[in-house]
Amino acid sequence: MSISLSGRDLISINDVTKEEMLAIFREATSLEPYARSKSDVLKGKVMALLFFEPSTRTRLSFEAAMKRLGGDVIGFEEPSMTSIAKGESLIDTAKVIENYADIIVVRHPFEGAAKAIADAVQIPVINAGSGALSHPTQALVDLYTIWREKGRIDGLTILFFGDLKYSRAVRSLVRGLLNFNVSFIFVSPELLKLREEEREFLKSMSIPFIEKSSLTSDLAREADVVYVTRIQRERFTDPMEYERVKGSYRLSMEHLQHVKNDLIILHPLPRVNELDWEIDKTPYAKYFKQVFYGLLVRMALLKMMLT
Ligand code: CP
């Protein structure tokens, strides 16, 4: 049975069932031949990119994905050059753009922005990152990377290392992983621990997890996947809080002394200095492969949402 996402929005990772995730993964794999060439499967379709926050990977991979599939791209990455600078509302802007495009991809600092746009327009909307809580396409990319690199997700131990308080990638990935049978280890400085509501959410689902404030090589030995995140400096409301945690953690070669041979290390990127550049040379480093898989997953999403 073929699975369609036609006409649907993607606002939260919870909008996608496990069966749909696996269909996205299969579609992404089947589209790999077009990642370096061109298809006309979305010929005549237009995607609007509305980016109210900086982005390299998400914006450019959506753009590349649409172009590789034969579609066109409009949009902006600098809202100050649009009529928003004259006082036009986000919703009015979206209701105008739906006349020009078949799908909207939006990144915004406010958590509810993508949902508000989806409620206001008739065309599909993809949340490309909103606030500190949600980044569903990154979660799909991360899940796909694990699925491709490990051949499965069930039965794995995932160790999250870094800013677990403000990272929307972590929050969305944890929710995506709840579709599978995995074990969680969370390692972060005290000030960047999982939010209390996140901890309570996992407990309410009877999901076991280990929480630690520093990473040891013994702890790293337990992991099948280490997922590293930078400190999300832009989310701090108190600059002094950022100063207190700046540079407080870093994954180094010493942590990898006793790890499993087939460990994979992921990072949504950008990296600042929380992941030693020496690790790039090891077979564990999969974060640039993850970038490539991001292109495939976004190609699959666009195809499945627009055909
Ligand atoms: N991982 C990610 O969302 O990267 P960008 O901010 O560059 O899009």
Side-chain angles (χ1 to χ4, degrees):
M1 187 183 71
S2 81
I3 290 180
S4 168
L5 302 177
S6 184
R8 296 246 303 266
D9 299 313
L10 176 56
I11 306 303
S12 154
I13 190 66
N14 295 331
D15 294 340
V16 187
T17 65
K18 178 178 180 179
E19 195 181 29
E20 288 166 346
M21 281 178 194
L22 295 172
I24 293 166
F25 299 167
R26 288 191 295 271
E27 185 70 55
T29 304
S30 77
L31 289 170
E32 187 162 348
Y34 303 108
R36 296 270 173 214
S37 64
K38 191 142 181 159
S39 136
D40 60 3
V41 67
L42 293 183
K43 193 165 187 252
K45 300 287 186 188
V46 175
M47 174 179 68
L49 293 174
L50 281 53
F51 274 65
F52 294 83
E53 281 189 331
S55 171
T56 297
R57 277 145 294 272
T58 312
R59 190 176 67 78
L60 293 179
S61 62
F62 265 115
E63 185 163 350
M66 192 62 172
K67 290 181 173 172
R68 294 292 191 194
L69 293 174
D72 289 307
V73 182
I74 61 171
F76 57 80
E77 55 193 288
E78 187 43 77
S80 64
M81 295 303 288
T82 72
S83 286
I84 288 168
K86 303 175 204 162
E88 187 165 46
S89 72
L90 176 66
I91 296 304
D92 279 2
T93 302
K95 284 166 74 79
V96 168
I97 289 170
E98 75 170 320
N99 293 283
Y100 311 143
D102 301 291
I103 190 165
I104 288 175
V105 179
V106 59
R107 170 171 288 192
H108 201 283
F110 298 136
E111 175 53 29
K115 174 79 171 76
I117 291 175
D119 289 344
V121 303
Q122 303 304 311
I123 61 174
V125 174
I126 297 178
N127 177 4
S130 52
L133 296 185
S134 191
H135 197 348
T137 68
Q138 182 65 52
L140 289 170
V141 172
D142 301 338
L143 291 164
Y144 179 64
T145 304
I146 297 170
W147 184 80
R148 277 288 296 256
E149 290 296 317
K150 306 292 292 182
R152 66 192 166 105
I153 300 178
D154 284 317
L156 300 180
T157 296
I158 320 291
L159 188 156
F160 288 87
F161 181 50
D163 181 349
L164 309 184
K165 182 176 179 183
Y166 294 114
S167 170
R168 56 193 178 197
V170 168
R171 188 173 179 279
S172 288
L173 178 55
V174 167
R175 275 166 170 64
L177 284 166
L178 294 181
N179 288 285
F180 301 87
N181 177 25
V182 298
S183 302
F184 291 106
I185 303 175
F186 297 110
V187 185
S188 65
E190 282 295 323
L191 280 172
L192 299 175
K193 282 171 73 172
L194 282 184
R195 292 160 192 262
E196 190 51 35
E197 61 264 29
E198 204 60 11
R199 199 173 295 112
E200 289 307 317
F201 169 73
L202 291 172
K203 285 182 185 163
S204 74
M205 305 270 293
S206 302
I207 307 292
F209 60 91
I210 295 170
E211 258 190 308
K212 299 283 181 190
S213 56
S214 65
L215 184 61
T216 59
S217 57
D218 279 349
L219 199 56
R221 189 205 310 239
E222 304 292 317
D224 298 294
V225 179
V226 172
Y227 191 90
V228 187
T229 62
R230 73 182 167 95
I231 298 183
Q232 310 286 303
R233 182 180 187 166
E234 65 276 23
R235 307 279 170 228
F236 284 70
T237 47
D238 176 2
M240 292 309 295
E241 188 189 357
Y242 172 71
E243 288 302 319
R244 282 199 290 277
V245 291
K246 186 174 75 173
S248 59
Y249 65 90
R250 180 179 172 89
L251 188 71
S252 66
M253 292 297 282
E254 287 80 75
H255 291 121
L256 305 182
Q257 281 171 359
H258 307 297
V259 293
K260 294 180 182 174
N261 287 337
D262 59 351
L263 169 74
I264 61 170
I265 299 173
L266 308 185
H267 191 311
L269 303 177
R271 155 171 56 183
V272 186
N273 52 21
E274 65 285 342
L275 177 59
D276 193 327
W277 274 261
E278 280 293 303
I279 293 174
D280 296 7
K281 299 178 203 146
T282 72
Y284 314 122
K286 301 293 180 194
Y287 24 94
F288 290 108
K289 201 111 185 255
Q290 194 179 352
V291 171
F292 175 66
Y293 291 148
L295 174 64
L296 303 185
V297 166
R298 290 177 176 119
M299 288 168 78
L301 281 172
L302 291 174
K303 183 178 172 199
M304 293 173 76
M305 292 172 79
L306 287 172
T307 60

